[in-house]
Amino acid sequence: MKSFRCGDVVAGCTRSFQGSEPQILGQVAAHARDDHGLVDIPAEMVAQVRAAMVTI
């Protein structure tokens, strides 16, 4: 199980996610689209999300 805080990548965002890495990536993609207006998520951002995930 891992966790990710969006604010670690997008300053000021308070959303957080928990689950497996694939679950988190799916949740973050939907969040990025719905709340940040990102339709196409750059590979660099995916790498930042993966790097910011912590095991809980």
Side-chain angles (χ1 to χ4, degrees):
M1 176 91 100
K2 295 187 175 206
S3 69
F4 168 72
R5 295 180 311 176
C6 188
D8 291 341
V9 175
V10 178
C13 186
T14 59
R15 286 287 307 269
S16 62
F17 307 89
Q18 293 183 342
S20 67
E21 184 172 316
Q23 289 171 328
I24 290 174
L25 289 174
Q27 293 169 6
V28 168
H31 166 65
R33 180 190 66 240
D34 297 342
D35 297 327
H36 296 297
L38 292 174
V39 177
D40 294 317
I41 301 170
E44 294 170 352
M45 185 170 282
V46 174
Q48 290 176 326
V49 169
R50 281 192 168 115
M53 286 185 196
V54 295
T55 301
I56 54 173

